[in-house]
Amino acid sequence: MLAYGAGGNTVTLDMQEMRHCEACNQDRSFSVVLQYRYWGFDWIFNFLTMRKYVMRCDVCENGLELDRKTVEAKLDGVPIPFIHRYGMLTLLELIALLLIWVA
Ligand SMILES: [Zn+2]
C-alpha cells in the first residue's frame, strides 16, 4: 500500500560565531542550522516543501533567518539527503523512462 506524508529535519552546520543574544542579554555562541520539510510517498519519493537557514543561539535557540543564497555559497553542498530532496524527481524520471520504453 502506498503511504504518504510529511517529514522534516534540522541539521546543525559547522558554522558558529559569538554574538550578543537579545533574549539572553549576554554574548553567546550561535550556530547556523538548516531547517527543512518534505512531502512524499512511501518516505522515498519526496520533494522539499520548505528550506531555511537560521542563525540560532545555542542556549535559548532564539534566532534570525539568514539569506539562503548567502549561506549556500559558503557550503560545499546542501546537506539534505538525496532521497528527501530529489526522491519525487527520481520517481517521475522512472515513469518517463517507462513511458518511453512502452511507446
Ligand atoms: Zn540566547
Side-chain angles (χ1 to χ4, degrees), residues 21 23-24 28 30 57 59-62:
C21 176
C24 297
R28 299 286 198 198
F30 277 68
C57 172
V59 178
C60 72
E61 300 196 341
N62 188 45

Side-chain angles (χ1 to χ4, degrees), residues 16-93:
Q16 290 168 319
E17 65 177 60
M18 289 297 286
R19 59 192 298 159
H20 186 79
C21 176
E22 296 294 330
C24 297
N25 199 26
Q26 286 188 42
D27 287 343
R28 299 286 198 198
S29 88
F30 277 68
S31 298
V32 177
V33 295
L34 163 63
Q35 298 172 333
Y36 69 91
R37 295 198 61 75
Y38 57 88
W39 190 93
F41 295 106
D42 273 356
W43 311 110
I44 299 169
F45 305 114
N46 303 294
F47 59 92
L48 291 183
T49 54
M50 185 279 283
R51 166 173 33 158
K52 69 177 179 182
Y53 294 89
V54 178
M55 173 73 81
R56 199 167 74 174
C57 172
D58 288 338
V59 178
C60 72
E61 300 196 341
N62 188 45
L64 61 136
E65 191 169 342
L66 301 172
D67 180 64
R68 184 170 126 188
K69 285 184 178 156
T70 308
V71 177
E72 289 183 352
K74 295 175 190 166
L75 298 173
D76 290 335
V78 179
I80 298 175
F82 180 87
I83 212 164
H84 289 163
R85 207 171 167 200
Y86 297 119
M88 183 64 85
L89 202 60
T90 306
L91 176 65
L92 295 177
E93 282 172 5

